[in-house]
Amino acid sequence: MYERRRRRESFFDRILNYFAEIGEEIDELVESMFEAVSFSRPDWDADACCLEPLVHVESTPESVVVTADLPYVENKNDIKINATEDTLEFTADMKREVRFERWGTVQREAAFRRYRKLIKLPEKVVPQEAKATFKNGILQIILPKKFKATPIEVE
Amino acid sequence: MERKLVSIVETGEVEVKHPKIIIGLPDVGLVGVILANHMVQTMDMKEVGHMESDLFPPLMILHRGKPHHPFRLYRKDDLILFVSEIAVPPIAIYDTAREICEWARNKSASLILPIGGTPIPNRMMIDKPKVFAIPVGDEVRKIVEKFGIDVFEEGMIVGPYARIIAECEKYSLPCLTLLSQSYPNYPDPGAAAATAEVLSKVINVEIDVVPLEEQAEEIRLRMKDLMKRTMLEMERMGKSQEYELPAMYS
């Protein structure tokens, strides 16, 4: 009796694991679909006067390094950065408004005053130990990884 | 007559004896495009043609209510300049390079000058980027020596310029590729200014770099989306191979 229940449990466990795996695959698929969709949307928001800057995310053995090109940003005090274990968000105010006139099909004007970017980090980081620098218009944020590699000795 | 996959359409006067041909295609740091656009504006160069191909993205640029092709030719005196606002798709690279070089051969070009960037990881720490030369032909090597330009000695070049170099080698066309150290992923007017100083000596034409420096922020912002598209094309063409260790040894 006991043996049968255990076998039945393990059978249900397998079914549950199977569905959990399918669930993860669906999550990944949906996530990649959203990434594809987000790529096709404009990287500006005229109502919020915001532009998305060019960013680059790189993973080194020790940390995740994020850089962003921020033309028209002059002072490091105009940059606000927030990070969690998985995400990085920053805004940066431009020293002056950048206007685009007679743009698009409705002869619209757009003015941008700041950059805003939300990045999903490729690995978990320790936000409290992150460091940021701003030089020559390039913002660099170094976020140490939460899980660091363990060295293995060759026998 | 068989239709070419990529063709040059002349719309203005391009009959020049032994022209010098400058090529600014989207590449690392958009160095060539930034410099070519700067020359068009500051030297009052005239549009004399464009390149067309079914392999290019189907787009036209509207400026002051007038349609413009994204891949255009300009001229002033004996200078012809190619500039593109579309990254050449990998499928069109061979035919684009072939067409440019065939055209240059027919015009008996005295020098072909592809302008680009070479990625450097710590670019933000460098105030004045170095410019490297890839000369094709003995006469061009003499020019490089005369002006003391550093030669790109070992490594790989990937993309349209690699094919232009190959075509120039094949037909013994004088070619001098100038590559400035540049941000890999960001438009780099500073790298374009560094190249302008070298190019100016080689072609013996004054290029005012002050506006390039003054408008650097505007250029970086306006070139943002072209840089993004160029990054995608560079990824597709295997541009990262430029980081690889050279396999050739002696």
Side-chain angles (χ1 to χ4, degrees):
Chain A
M1 183 71 187
Y2 172 77
E3 183 65 22
R4 196 189 296 165
R5 191 185 301 152
R6 210 178 63 173
R7 235 185 296 148
R8 199 182 304 148
E9 272 173 4
S10 86
F11 172 74
F12 281 118
D13 283 347
R14 279 212 305 261
I15 295 279
L16 283 174
N17 286 341
Y18 176 68
F19 279 113
E21 276 172 28
I22 289 180
E24 274 171 28
E25 276 178 27
I26 289 172
D27 284 349
E28 275 172 27
L29 188 68
V30 169
E31 209 169 284
S32 68
M33 277 165 68
F34 272 110
E35 272 170 21
V37 170
S38 75
F39 181 74
S40 63
R41 70 173 165 76
D43 59 1
W44 46 264
D45 180 344
D47 294 332
C49 301
C50 270
L51 276 177
E52 269 189 25
L54 284 174
V55 294
H56 181 67
V57 182
E58 198 183 327
S59 191
T60 72
E62 297 290 314
S63 39
V64 174
V65 182
V66 178
T67 64
D69 188 24
L70 303 175
Y72 290 111
V73 176
E74 204 167 43
N75 200 311
K76 64 176 184 181
N77 298 325
D78 295 327
I79 305 168
K80 305 275 178 276
I81 310 166
N82 282 299
T84 67
E85 282 191 348
D86 311 291
T87 62
L88 175 76
E89 185 176 19
F90 62 83
T91 59
D93 291 335
M94 297 175 185
K95 65 187 170 195
R96 70 171 179 81
E97 193 177 79
V98 177
R99 296 187 80 82
F100 290 83
E101 288 170 356
R102 296 191 303 279
W103 174 32
T105 50
V106 286
Q107 301 290 300
R108 100 183 108 184
E109 279 186 65
F112 299 104
R113 295 189 202 102
R114 71 184 61 85
Y115 296 100
R116 189 172 63 198
K117 185 75 185 171
L118 173 66
I119 298 161
K120 192 178 168 205
L121 299 169
E123 284 174 71
K124 283 198 186 300
V125 297
V126 186
Q128 296 80 3
E129 291 174 21
K131 284 196 170 78
T133 53
F134 183 59
K135 189 174 161 47
N136 295 334
I138 305 287
L139 172 68
Q140 185 182 59
I141 307 158
I142 301 172
L143 304 122
K145 286 183 182 174
K146 186 173 178 184
F147 303 112
K148 297 202 172 85
T150 309
I152 299 168
E153 247 178 65
V154 180
E155 287 171 23
Chain B
M1 201 175 101
E2 201 182 319
R3 195 169 160 214
K4 284 180 176 176
L5 283 172
V6 178
S7 53
I8 292 172
V9 178
E10 295 175 11
T11 55
E13 184 53 58
V14 278
E15 290 315 317
V16 194
K17 267 191 184 170
H18 310 299
K20 296 180 188 90
I21 298 175
I22 296 161
I23 305 166
L25 302 183
D27 186 47
V28 175
L30 299 181
V31 180
V33 182
I34 295 171
L35 181 52
N37 274 332
H38 174 70
M39 289 176 74
V40 168
Q41 281 165 27
T42 55
M43 292 166 61
D44 195 25
M45 298 183 84
K46 297 278 175 266
E47 193 174 329
V48 290
H50 58 263
M51 290 198 84
E52 60 179 28
S53 170
D54 291 0
L55 303 173
F56 293 164
L59 69 91
M60 288 293 280
I61 290 159
L62 301 161
H63 184 52
R64 292 181 180 144
K66 225 182 123 190
H68 296 268
H69 286 267
F71 198 150
R72 301 180 297 275
L73 274 79
Y74 290 87
R75 182 205 157 185
K76 179 159 188 185
D77 303 328
D78 68 339
L79 285 184
I80 300 277
L81 189 143
F82 286 74
V83 63
S84 175
E85 287 172 48
I86 45 166
V88 180
I91 193 171
I93 286 176
Y94 280 82
D95 289 283
T96 303
R98 221 173 273 136
E99 177 67 359
I100 292 174
C101 292
E102 195 185 316
W103 192 83
R105 203 149 51 106
N106 290 337
K107 302 282 179 211
S108 310
S110 61
L111 193 56
I112 300 167
L113 295 133
I115 308 294
T118 179
I120 181 158
N122 61 341
R123 169 70 180 95
M124 71 189 276
M125 310 310 282
I126 295 170
D127 289 326
K128 178 126 191 188
K130 259 188 175 184
V131 178
F132 294 91
I134 305 174
V136 175
D138 291 339
E139 290 306 310
V140 183
R141 267 184 277 279
K142 279 182 200 157
I143 296 173
V144 170
E145 272 170 34
K146 182 180 163 192
F147 294 111
I149 312 167
D150 289 305
V151 175
F152 186 173
E153 299 261 8
E154 301 279 342
M156 254 185 247
I157 174 163
V158 177
Y161 292 163
R163 289 311 309 164
I164 289 173
I165 291 168
E167 289 289 313
C168 290
E169 277 276 351
K170 187 173 167 186
Y171 295 107
S172 303
L173 297 172
C175 177
L176 173 56
T177 305
L178 293 175
L179 302 176
S180 168
Q181 290 177 327
S182 142
Y183 287 113
N185 320 303
Y186 305 136
D188 198 336
T195 312
E197 284 177 20
V198 176
L199 179 67
S200 174
K201 288 183 211 160
V202 172
I203 60 174
N204 197 22
V205 169
E206 201 177 314
I207 305 171
D208 184 7
V209 295
V210 175
L212 256 184
E213 285 153 6
E214 283 175 352
Q215 295 164 13
E217 288 184 301
E218 187 182 348
I219 295 167
R220 278 161 57 203
L221 191 118
R222 285 187 180 270
M223 294 274 174
K224 190 168 78 73
D225 291 337
L226 177 57
M227 186 77 251
K228 213 159 127 181
R229 285 197 306 274
T230 305
M231 289 299 297
L232 286 173
E233 296 296 3
M234 288 198 295
E235 209 176 300
R236 287 172 58 204
M237 72 178 75
K239 191 77 178 168
S240 59
Q241 287 173 93
E242 288 188 0
Y243 286 118
E244 288 178 10
L245 295 173
M248 273 180 125
Y249 59 94
S250 52

